[in-house]
Structure formats: C-alpha cells, structure tokens
Amino acid sequence: DGCIKAVGQADVIRHQFSGATFERVIDCSGKCVIPGLVDAHTHPVWAGDRVHEFAMKLAGASYMEIHQAGGGIHFTVEHTQKATEEELFSTFKHRLECMCRAGSTLVECKSGYGLNLETELKMLRVIERAKQTMDIGISSTYCGAHAVPKGKTATEATDDIINNHLPKLKELQLSGEIHVNNIDVFCEKGVFDLESTRRILQAGKDTGLQINFHGDELHPMKSAELGAELGARAISHLEEVSDEGITAMARAKCAAVLLPTTAYMLRLKQPQARKMLEEGVIVALGSDFNPNAYCFSMPMVMHLACVNMKMSMNEALAAATINAAYALGKSDMHGSIETGKQGDLVIINSSRWEHLIYQFGCHEELINYIIIKGKVVYQNERCGTMSSY
C-alpha cells in the first residue's frame, strides 16, 4: 500500500521479516536514508520566463519597481493567460521532475498567474492532472489574490474572488473535478491590504480550504498576527515580521515557511529564523520556485538556510521534511520515517546525510535513489561507480 511497514534495528527487522520475500532489495551499506524532502512553497505553473528581469534586479531595480513597470507577476500573467493547458502542463511536468530528482517527494503548488477566473481554473486543472498522473505528491493552492489584475482596484479584485472565484471552486471541488487544499493571498503594501486579505482568507476557510499565505515580505503588515487570529496553517516569507507576530504564530502553532532563495535573489533582509526557533515557532522551508526565484533544489535551500539564516543542519533537515509537511497539513503521512507513514525516501551516496547540505549544488552527484510510496521513481546510475564522501 506504499506505506512503511517497520523501522528499527537491522537484526530485529531481519528476524521480523525472516519468512518474507521481496521484489527488490537495495543495499544501502555506507549510505544514508532520509525522509523524502517536502517543498512547502512553489509557483511552478507559468509561461514566459523573466530572465531579462534578473539583469534589471542586478542593476539595482527593486521588486516593486519592476512590478509597477508592468514586469514581475503581470508579465507572467500575460504569458500564462495566452498559453494552452497542454503547454502549461508540459513545462510544469518537467519542473516537477527536476524537483523530484533533487529530493522533493511532496511539493506545494500554487496557481496565481491567471488573476482571472478562467486562467486560475486552467492552472488548477493542470495541477490536478499532475496529481493524478505523476508519482510526486502535490498539495495544491488557489492563489487568485497573487496580484491586483490590471484595470481593477484591490477591493474590486477581492469582491470578484469572494463572489465568483471561490463559489466556482467549491462547485468543482464538490463535483470532484479538482481538489484544492489551500488558499493564499499576497498580503502586501500596494497589493492586498490587511482587510482585503482577511476577507479572502476567511471566505476560503469557510469553503473548507486551509489558510497558507504570503505575509510581511517587503513591508511590515501585521500579516503574522492576522494569520494567527484566523487559524492559518502557515504563513510564508515573513522577512518583515514583528516580534508580536512571531509570538502570536508560536502560540497559534502556525508554521513559518521561510524562503532563503527569495531573500538571497532579491537582496532582502533574511527572515529571523533564529528568533522564531527560540520562541517555539514551527519553521519550515520552501524553494519559492517561480520566474523570479528559479530554484528547484531543496538541498540548496537548506544550505542557504544554514549559511544565511543561521539554522543548524538538523534544524534545516527538520524544516525541509516534517515541519514542511506540517505546514501543508500532511505531517500525519509525510515528513519522517515512521511505521504507517508513506514510504517516501531519499537514499544518499554518503555515510553522512549532512553532505546533502554541505556540498552546495552537488545533489545530482549525491542522491542515489528517490522512493515515493515504496516505489523507486529515480535511480542515479552515476552513484554506483563513485563515492561522494
């Protein structure tokens, strides 16, 4: 059934299963087995890359300057609206395969580059198709409030989402056409303010979606306090979170999904991971894969979390496994190697798992096998002939 049957000392397991036969045995002598990695925040469905904006950022343009000049999210929206479902699925599938080869066995995937109902649903159908046809686990997020559509005010966009998008979404959920897990809003100055964010998140919660949203990224917005109050499962970014917000999140057991790649690429101040951990916040990690922060690799995210956010390697591993699974409401079956949980594993060609973090950008040489639901979905032939430690 794809679940772990037993975990423990080798001699005990051998005795327990002495009469059993196995289709396949993997010799892990001198290797490490860790839980499949969980990427708690990605935007992987889109068309039209933004490599030209990277040059603008390097020349000093800020995220909001690019956004206001018609770039950023709006550039991607324009291309995604024009793309066919087939085109979007093809690139999305390739991106998920890259994430999987880098160790991710469960990924949160957002819509949000449609901004109109038709394109948002197109993106959610693409995500649903991958859920049904691919091995990798997916937690899907409706993020129609990713930006204010051109020609609309934030209030008009909020009304449209509450009166049109969410009822349609509920109808499609009930008919079994799509299955959405989370609701997300970009709560930010010049995008959706605190009151609009509250209205959308509450409406989403009322239709049965988990709250998991962008907050306190570029300006302090009191998003963390709002999330704690609404019973949010997780809040992402939090570069500008207040001390009160951190305390509120700890008390509410609301996970902080930190995105070191974004802070690194946008040259933002790093999220206060240490303060959050010390105050008892559940800290998770995500790649924030999107056209603005192009990174598939959770091992690289963990490395950046250790170096730039001062997390220990143990903390980073927990943040990229059990805590990230918690942020998606899936820690009952994902994120750790325990009897009864889903058999999602990464086998590393090294005698110490820490090499996955220490060897920056070298996961392609280190990851030997990816196993999802007890099935080998990726085997790296190169690991058979060389040693990585």
Side-chain angles (χ1 to χ4, degrees), residues 305-367:
C306 293
V307 174
N308 290 341
M309 300 196 314
K310 302 182 170 58
M311 290 173 75
S312 71
M313 287 191 282
N314 285 348
E315 286 166 344
L317 181 64
T321 52
I322 191 69
N323 291 3
Y326 173 89
L328 303 178
K330 290 184 178 285
S331 53
D332 58 330
M333 288 301 285
H334 297 264
S336 58
I337 300 174
E338 293 179 70
T339 304
K341 283 198 173 185
Q342 193 166 297
D344 294 354
L345 309 166
V346 177
I347 299 175
I348 301 164
N349 189 36
S350 168
S351 59
R352 292 187 57 149
W353 69 266
E354 290 93 339
H355 276 275
L356 194 61
I357 296 178
Y358 162 67
Q359 294 191 20
F360 188 52
C362 300
H363 65 262
E364 288 179 3
E365 306 293 336
L366 278 166
I367 291 175

Side-chain angles (χ1 to χ4, degrees), residues 2 28 37 45 48 66-67 123 130 147 191 201 208 230 237 253 271:
C28 294
L37 302 178
V45 184
I66 292 169
H67 186 73
M123 294 179 76
V191 192
L201 293 177
L230 292 177
H237 283 291
K253 294 192 164 36

